[in-house]
Amino acid sequence: MQSFSKFLFSSCRGLLLQENSRFAEALHYYKLAIGSRPTLASAYLNTGIILMNQGKTEEARRTFLKCSEIPDENLKDPHAHKSSVTSCLYNLGKLYHEQGHYEDALSVYKEAIQKMPRQFAPQSLYNMMGEAYMRLSKLPEAEHWYMESLRSKTDHIPAHLTYGKLLALTGRKSEAEKFFLKAIELDPTKGNCYMHYGE
């Protein structure tokens, strides 16, 4: 019981510190939480996100990988665990994507899709799949995943913008315009919506 309350305290404290941008302290408490409960995927996820934001990409990569390998047997909340693991894989894919390793990113995104629980909101994951395919000049695959992203969340602004870019690139300018205008309508304060439309 004592180790459970210790892990709970460490985990909550880490989250609170992270929300207040006290990242070094947050990392310390996530480390304690993982020490008390090595299967706590959410602590690995938050640790990885902090490390990624600090530019410690290799440490972040190892943390996300470790998280993705945690088995989901005998856990109190397998759904929350699977959501955290899926988020770890999504962030790992993003990390590869930002480094220009699009094939690696795709392989990780595919694993995330296989592991994601039913309640996971997949629109960002699908949109990033589209982005990776677009970078590899596989435009039909990119279009498929942008459409999947919009199917899962019709008001997902990044997918409106990325799909709009693909349509413009393939000469379907009036269709592209509709997606850019929809993005602006969804959030008139977002400057990048106007920028994409202007381009």
Side-chain angles (χ1 to χ4, degrees):
M1 192 66 192
Q2 194 180 359
S3 73
F4 177 75
S5 56
K6 186 182 170 188
F7 124 78
L8 200 60
F9 170 78
S10 298
S11 183
C12 293
R13 186 93 177 119
L15 204 54
L16 194 65
L17 289 161
Q18 186 177 359
E19 284 169 2
N20 287 294
S21 303
R22 291 164 64 182
F23 302 118
E25 293 166 88
L27 283 174
H28 169 72
Y29 281 99
Y30 287 139
K31 202 176 216 174
L32 289 176
I34 290 166
S36 300
R37 184 159 296 185
T39 57
L40 185 63
S42 61
Y44 288 94
L45 170 63
N46 291 324
T47 298
I49 289 169
I50 292 172
L51 291 168
M52 197 159 89
N53 291 337
Q54 290 179 335
K56 297 174 181 171
T57 51
E58 186 49 34
E59 278 183 76
R61 187 189 70 79
R62 284 198 306 267
T63 305
F64 290 138
L65 262 178
K66 192 155 174 124
C67 174
S68 72
E69 291 161 359
I70 301 170
D72 55 10
E73 298 97 51
N74 308 317
L75 296 172
K76 281 192 170 71
D77 190 349
H79 292 299
H81 172 80
K82 284 178 182 173
S83 284
S84 291
V85 167
T86 305
S87 293
C88 276
L89 287 164
Y90 167 75
N91 281 288
L92 178 60
K94 257 179 79 173
L95 202 143
Y96 286 138
H97 188 100
E98 284 162 13
Q99 294 174 332
H101 305 308
Y102 305 117
E103 295 284 2
D104 292 333
L106 276 173
S107 128
V108 173
Y109 293 145
K110 286 173 186 172
E111 188 183 342
I113 288 169
Q114 284 175 341
K115 288 188 174 179
M116 74 180 177
R118 209 174 24 241
Q119 81 277 11
F120 189 83
Q123 66 274 3
S124 296
L125 176 55
Y126 293 165
N127 189 51
M128 287 304 292
M129 286 275 289
E131 282 278 84
Y133 276 119
M134 184 121 162
R135 297 291 179 135
L136 293 165
S137 301
K138 296 181 174 178
L139 302 186
E141 291 91 338
E143 183 166 8
H144 167 79
W145 287 106
Y146 291 148
M147 287 170 74
E148 283 298 311
S149 177
L150 289 168
R151 201 171 286 131
S152 66
K153 190 173 191 287
T154 53
D155 61 351
H156 188 54
I157 293 171
H160 280 89
L161 297 175
T162 50
Y163 190 30
K165 276 197 290 190
L166 183 141
L167 291 166
L169 189 72
T170 53
R172 291 142 74 187
K173 297 209 181 337
S174 59
E175 278 182 82
E177 187 177 16
K178 281 181 207 160
F179 281 93
F180 291 136
L181 288 172
K182 184 66 181 172
I184 290 166
E185 182 194 315
L186 289 166
D187 190 353
T189 63
K190 265 218 166 82
N192 65 336
C193 295
Y194 296 96
M195 186 187 74
H196 286 297
Y197 183 38
E199 283 172 3

mmCIF file of all heavy atoms in Angstrom, residues 142-164:
data_model
loop_
_atom_site.group_PDB
_atom_site.id
_atom_site.type_symbol
_atom_site.label_atom_id
_atom_site.label_comp_id
_atom_site.label_asym_id
_atom_site.label_seq_id
_atom_site.Cartn_x
_atom_site.Cartn_y
_atom_site.Cartn_z
ATOM 1 N N ALA A 142 -0.979 9.259 -49.005
ATOM 2 C CA ALA A 142 -1.101 10.472 -48.186
ATOM 3 C C ALA A 142 -2.552 10.938 -48.172
ATOM 4 O O ALA A 142 -3.115 11.225 -47.110
ATOM 5 C CB ALA A 142 -0.201 11.578 -48.741
ATOM 6 N N GLU A 143 -3.176 10.973 -49.347
ATOM 7 C CA GLU A 143 -4.581 11.417 -49.437
ATOM 8 C C GLU A 143 -5.486 10.519 -48.608
ATOM 9 O O GLU A 143 -6.369 10.998 -47.892
ATOM 10 C CB GLU A 143 -5.030 11.433 -50.909
ATOM 11 C CG GLU A 143 -6.451 11.951 -51.053
ATOM 12 C CD GLU A 143 -6.822 12.296 -52.492
ATOM 13 O OE1 GLU A 143 -6.045 12.006 -53.430
ATOM 14 O OE2 GLU A 143 -7.906 12.876 -52.667
ATOM 15 N N HIS A 144 -5.246 9.209 -48.693
ATOM 16 C CA HIS A 144 -6.057 8.256 -47.913
ATOM 17 C C HIS A 144 -6.016 8.594 -46.425
ATOM 18 O O HIS A 144 -7.050 8.651 -45.763
ATOM 19 C CB HIS A 144 -5.552 6.821 -48.139
ATOM 20 C CG HIS A 144 -6.116 5.838 -47.157
ATOM 21 N ND1 HIS A 144 -7.383 5.315 -47.280
ATOM 22 C CD2 HIS A 144 -5.595 5.317 -46.010
ATOM 23 C CE1 HIS A 144 -7.618 4.497 -46.260
ATOM 24 N NE2 HIS A 144 -6.554 4.485 -45.476
ATOM 25 N N TRP A 145 -4.821 8.856 -45.886
ATOM 26 C CA TRP A 145 -4.693 9.097 -44.445
ATOM 27 C C TRP A 145 -5.196 10.476 -44.034
ATOM 28 O O TRP A 145 -5.741 10.634 -42.939
ATOM 29 C CB TRP A 145 -3.262 8.834 -43.976
ATOM 30 C CG TRP A 145 -3.003 7.358 -43.974
ATOM 31 C CD1 TRP A 145 -2.246 6.647 -44.859
ATOM 32 C CD2 TRP A 145 -3.575 6.396 -43.075
ATOM 33 N NE1 TRP A 145 -2.304 5.299 -44.562
ATOM 34 C CE2 TRP A 145 -3.102 5.115 -43.478
ATOM 35 C CE3 TRP A 145 -4.429 6.474 -41.985
ATOM 36 C CZ2 TRP A 145 -3.471 3.945 -42.811
ATOM 37 C CZ3 TRP A 145 -4.791 5.322 -41.314
ATOM 38 C CH2 TRP A 145 -4.321 4.069 -41.731
ATOM 39 N N TYR A 146 -5.063 11.482 -44.920
ATOM 40 C CA TYR A 146 -5.660 12.787 -44.608
ATOM 41 C C TYR A 146 -7.179 12.657 -44.513
ATOM 42 O O TYR A 146 -7.814 13.220 -43.617
ATOM 43 C CB TYR A 146 -5.300 13.823 -45.676
ATOM 44 C CG TYR A 146 -3.845 14.235 -45.691
ATOM 45 C CD1 TYR A 146 -3.218 14.594 -46.878
ATOM 46 C CD2 TYR A 146 -3.090 14.278 -44.519
ATOM 47 C CE1 TYR A 146 -1.882 14.985 -46.896
ATOM 48 C CE2 TYR A 146 -1.757 14.662 -44.537
ATOM 49 C CZ TYR A 146 -1.159 15.010 -45.733
ATOM 50 O OH TYR A 146 0.157 15.400 -45.738
ATOM 51 N N MET A 147 -7.755 11.870 -45.432
ATOM 52 C CA MET A 147 -9.210 11.677 -45.409
ATOM 53 C C MET A 147 -9.646 10.897 -44.166
ATOM 54 O O MET A 147 -10.667 11.190 -43.563
ATOM 55 C CB MET A 147 -9.669 10.982 -46.690
ATOM 56 C CG MET A 147 -9.623 11.917 -47.895
ATOM 57 S SD MET A 147 -9.890 11.060 -49.460
ATOM 58 C CE MET A 147 -11.640 10.744 -49.353
ATOM 59 N N GLU A 148 -8.821 9.916 -43.775
ATOM 60 C CA GLU A 148 -9.116 9.156 -42.546
ATOM 61 C C GLU A 148 -9.092 10.089 -41.336
ATOM 62 O O GLU A 148 -9.921 9.977 -40.436
ATOM 63 C CB GLU A 148 -8.100 8.022 -42.351
ATOM 64 C CG GLU A 148 -8.313 6.821 -43.233
ATOM 65 C CD GLU A 148 -9.650 6.138 -43.000
ATOM 66 O OE1 GLU A 148 -9.998 5.860 -41.832
ATOM 67 O OE2 GLU A 148 -10.367 5.899 -43.990
ATOM 68 N N SER A 149 -8.124 10.992 -41.320
ATOM 69 C CA SER A 149 -8.013 11.953 -40.216
ATOM 70 C C SER A 149 -9.276 12.806 -40.129
ATOM 71 O O SER A 149 -9.847 12.988 -39.049
ATOM 72 C CB SER A 149 -6.788 12.838 -40.423
ATOM 73 O OG SER A 149 -6.707 13.812 -39.407
ATOM 74 N N LEU A 150 -9.730 13.299 -41.279
ATOM 75 C CA LEU A 150 -10.935 14.143 -41.300
ATOM 76 C C LEU A 150 -12.199 13.342 -41.026
ATOM 77 O O LEU A 150 -13.161 13.862 -40.466
ATOM 78 C CB LEU A 150 -11.040 14.862 -42.656
ATOM 79 C CG LEU A 150 -10.001 15.967 -42.845
ATOM 80 C CD1 LEU A 150 -9.946 16.430 -44.290
ATOM 81 C CD2 LEU A 150 -10.286 17.147 -41.913
ATOM 82 N N ARG A 151 -12.174 12.066 -41.389
ATOM 83 C CA ARG A 151 -13.324 11.202 -41.086
ATOM 84 C C ARG A 151 -13.455 10.993 -39.583
ATOM 85 O O ARG A 151 -14.543 10.957 -39.037
ATOM 86 C CB ARG A 151 -13.165 9.860 -41.804
ATOM 87 C CG ARG A 151 -14.470 9.104 -41.996
ATOM 88 C CD ARG A 151 -14.300 7.893 -42.896
ATOM 89 N NE ARG A 151 -14.152 8.290 -44.287
ATOM 90 C CZ ARG A 151 -13.191 7.851 -45.094
ATOM 91 N NH1 ARG A 151 -12.283 7.010 -44.666
ATOM 92 N NH2 ARG A 151 -13.124 8.259 -46.342
ATOM 93 N N SER A 152 -12.292 10.875 -38.914
ATOM 94 C CA SER A 152 -12.336 10.630 -37.464
ATOM 95 C C SER A 152 -12.631 11.905 -36.677
ATOM 96 O O SER A 152 -13.164 11.862 -35.588
ATOM 97 C CB SER A 152 -11.047 9.975 -36.976
ATOM 98 O OG SER A 152 -9.971 10.852 -37.122
ATOM 99 N N LYS A 153 -12.266 13.077 -37.245
ATOM 100 C CA LYS A 153 -12.581 14.357 -36.589
ATOM 101 C C LYS A 153 -12.713 15.420 -37.680
ATOM 102 O O LYS A 153 -11.715 15.903 -38.203
ATOM 103 C CB LYS A 153 -11.481 14.736 -35.589
ATOM 104 C CG LYS A 153 -11.856 15.919 -34.696
ATOM 105 C CD LYS A 153 -10.786 16.140 -33.619
ATOM 106 C CE LYS A 153 -11.230 17.109 -32.551
ATOM 107 N NZ LYS A 153 -11.270 18.492 -32.986
ATOM 108 N N THR A 154 -13.957 15.745 -37.993
ATOM 109 C CA THR A 154 -14.225 16.602 -39.156
ATOM 110 C C THR A 154 -13.673 18.020 -38.998
ATOM 111 O O THR A 154 -13.469 18.708 -39.980
ATOM 112 C CB THR A 154 -15.736 16.689 -39.438
ATOM 113 O OG1 THR A 154 -16.390 17.095 -38.228
ATOM 114 C CG2 THR A 154 -16.290 15.361 -39.895
ATOM 115 N N ASP A 155 -13.425 18.447 -37.754
ATOM 116 C CA ASP A 155 -12.924 19.819 -37.551
ATOM 117 C C ASP A 155 -11.438 19.851 -37.168
ATOM 118 O O ASP A 155 -10.971 20.781 -36.524
ATOM 119 C CB ASP A 155 -13.760 20.552 -36.501
ATOM 120 C CG ASP A 155 -13.710 19.878 -35.130
ATOM 121 O OD1 ASP A 155 -13.171 18.744 -35.039
ATOM 122 O OD2 ASP A 155 -14.212 20.460 -34.154
ATOM 123 N N HIS A 156 -10.699 18.833 -37.596
ATOM 124 C CA HIS A 156 -9.263 18.764 -37.282
ATOM 125 C C HIS A 156 -8.502 19.693 -38.241
ATOM 126 O O HIS A 156 -8.266 19.360 -39.405
ATOM 127 C CB HIS A 156 -8.774 17.319 -37.401
ATOM 128 C CG HIS A 156 -7.371 17.109 -36.912
ATOM 129 N ND1 HIS A 156 -6.953 17.480 -35.656
ATOM 130 C CD2 HIS A 156 -6.283 16.569 -37.518
ATOM 131 C CE1 HIS A 156 -5.681 17.177 -35.499
ATOM 132 N NE2 HIS A 156 -5.249 16.632 -36.615
ATOM 133 N N ILE A 157 -8.126 20.868 -37.752
ATOM 134 C CA ILE A 157 -7.530 21.915 -38.593
ATOM 135 C C ILE A 157 -6.243 21.446 -39.296
ATOM 136 O O ILE A 157 -6.095 21.669 -40.500
ATOM 137 C CB ILE A 157 -7.294 23.209 -37.779
ATOM 138 C CG1 ILE A 157 -8.648 23.813 -37.382
ATOM 139 C CG2 ILE A 157 -6.478 24.225 -38.574
ATOM 140 C CD1 ILE A 157 -8.575 24.958 -36.403
ATOM 141 N N PRO A 158 -5.283 20.790 -38.599
ATOM 142 C CA PRO A 158 -4.064 20.372 -39.313
ATOM 143 C C PRO A 158 -4.354 19.522 -40.553
ATOM 144 O O PRO A 158 -3.692 19.674 -41.582
ATOM 145 C CB PRO A 158 -3.287 19.570 -38.257
ATOM 146 C CG PRO A 158 -3.739 20.156 -36.962
ATOM 147 C CD PRO A 158 -5.194 20.478 -37.159
ATOM 148 N N ALA A 159 -5.362 18.642 -40.463
ATOM 149 C CA ALA A 159 -5.689 17.792 -41.618
ATOM 150 C C ALA A 159 -6.301 18.610 -42.754
ATOM 151 O O ALA A 159 -6.055 18.322 -43.932
ATOM 152 C CB ALA A 159 -6.625 16.663 -41.197
ATOM 153 N N HIS A 160 -7.091 19.640 -42.421
ATOM 154 C CA HIS A 160 -7.618 20.518 -43.472
ATOM 155 C C HIS A 160 -6.464 21.190 -44.225
ATOM 156 O O HIS A 160 -6.486 21.304 -45.448
ATOM 157 C CB HIS A 160 -8.550 21.593 -42.875
ATOM 158 C CG HIS A 160 -9.926 21.087 -42.598
ATOM 159 N ND1 HIS A 160 -10.285 20.507 -41.410
ATOM 160 C CD2 HIS A 160 -11.035 21.067 -43.378
ATOM 161 C CE1 HIS A 160 -11.554 20.153 -41.461
ATOM 162 N NE2 HIS A 160 -12.037 20.475 -42.639
ATOM 163 N N LEU A 161 -5.462 21.621 -43.469
ATOM 164 C CA LEU A 161 -4.325 22.323 -44.080
ATOM 165 C C LEU A 161 -3.446 21.380 -44.899
ATOM 166 O O LEU A 161 -3.069 21.697 -46.028
ATOM 167 C CB LEU A 161 -3.495 23.023 -43.005
ATOM 168 C CG LEU A 161 -4.207 24.132 -42.215
ATOM 169 C CD1 LEU A 161 -3.314 24.660 -41.106
ATOM 170 C CD2 LEU A 161 -4.644 25.266 -43.134
ATOM 171 N N THR A 162 -3.125 20.213 -44.332
ATOM 172 C CA THR A 162 -2.236 19.287 -45.044
ATOM 173 C C THR A 162 -2.938 18.710 -46.276
ATOM 174 O O THR A 162 -2.315 18.574 -47.334
ATOM 175 C CB THR A 162 -1.751 18.146 -44.117
ATOM 176 O OG1 THR A 162 -2.875 17.568 -43.454
ATOM 177 C CG2 THR A 162 -0.753 18.634 -43.091
ATOM 178 N N TYR A 163 -4.225 18.398 -46.140
ATOM 179 C CA TYR A 163 -4.968 17.875 -47.290
ATOM 180 C C TYR A 163 -5.107 18.966 -48.354
ATOM 181 O O TYR A 163 -4.955 18.713 -49.552
ATOM 182 C CB TYR A 163 -6.332 17.342 -46.841
ATOM 183 C CG TYR A 163 -7.073 16.564 -47.915
ATOM 184 C CD1 TYR A 163 -6.376 15.843 -48.886
ATOM 185 C CD2 TYR A 163 -8.451 16.548 -47.954
ATOM 186 C CE1 TYR A 163 -7.052 15.124 -49.874
ATOM 187 C CE2 TYR A 163 -9.142 15.830 -48.930
ATOM 188 C CZ TYR A 163 -8.430 15.128 -49.887
ATOM 189 O OH TYR A 163 -9.103 14.417 -50.864
ATOM 190 N N GLY A 164 -5.345 20.193 -47.912
ATOM 191 C CA GLY A 164 -5.417 21.325 -48.837
ATOM 192 C C GLY A 164 -4.123 21.478 -49.620
ATOM 193 O O GLY A 164 -4.129 21.705 -50.838
#
